[in-house]
Amino acid sequence: MEVITRMVADRPVVIFSRSTCCMSYTIKTLISGFGANPTIYELDEIQNGQQVERELHKMGCKPSVPVVFIGQQLIGGPNQVMTLQVKNQLAPLLKRAGAIWI
């Protein structure tokens, strides 16, 4: 979990993704649509991607991508992110994390 903690430190929004995953693309597009500039780790393209994926799995992220952290807090996968969006809670969360200013 230390690896994940270092990767999300001091970043308002972090998305762990796979470059070929359609749900990852959807979540990245949704969050970027608010004007946020998330840090994106494509696990199939980074050197320690398999290790990171195992760590996310240990944290309870199933499936292991996409996984979103906002304000260094684990939000979860697409279901959790979309639930926040439907409840109009995603934008305020991004604002509190300093990811957007509007």
Side-chain angles (χ1 to χ4, degrees):
M1 194 156 115
E2 184 179 317
V3 172
I4 303 295
T5 303
R6 278 185 309 207
M7 293 174 87
V8 302
D10 302 323
R11 293 176 177 87
V13 181
V14 175
I15 302 173
F16 292 95
S17 174
R18 283 191 168 277
S19 61
T20 58
C21 174
C22 64
M23 284 309 296
S24 292
Y25 175 80
T26 301
I27 296 301
K28 291 183 285 190
T29 302
L30 173 66
I31 291 175
S32 295
F34 283 99
N37 187 19
T39 299
I40 299 171
Y41 294 105
E42 300 290 358
L43 299 183
D44 56 335
E45 295 177 356
I46 62 173
Q47 188 173 9
N48 63 341
Q50 289 181 338
Q51 176 191 3
V52 172
E53 197 160 359
R54 284 191 299 273
E55 294 288 328
L56 291 169
H57 194 75
K58 287 179 188 175
M59 293 173 73
C61 301
K62 297 172 189 167
S64 56
V65 293
V67 174
V68 176
F69 285 78
I70 299 176
Q72 293 80 43
Q73 298 284 7
L74 172 62
I75 300 303
N79 289 342
Q80 292 81 8
V81 173
M82 294 307 282
T83 298
L84 289 172
Q85 171 64 1
V86 169
K87 292 180 176 183
N88 292 318
Q89 296 173 345
L90 184 56
L93 193 59
L94 291 168
K95 188 174 179 183
R96 276 194 304 275
I100 60 174
W101 293 272
I102 298 175

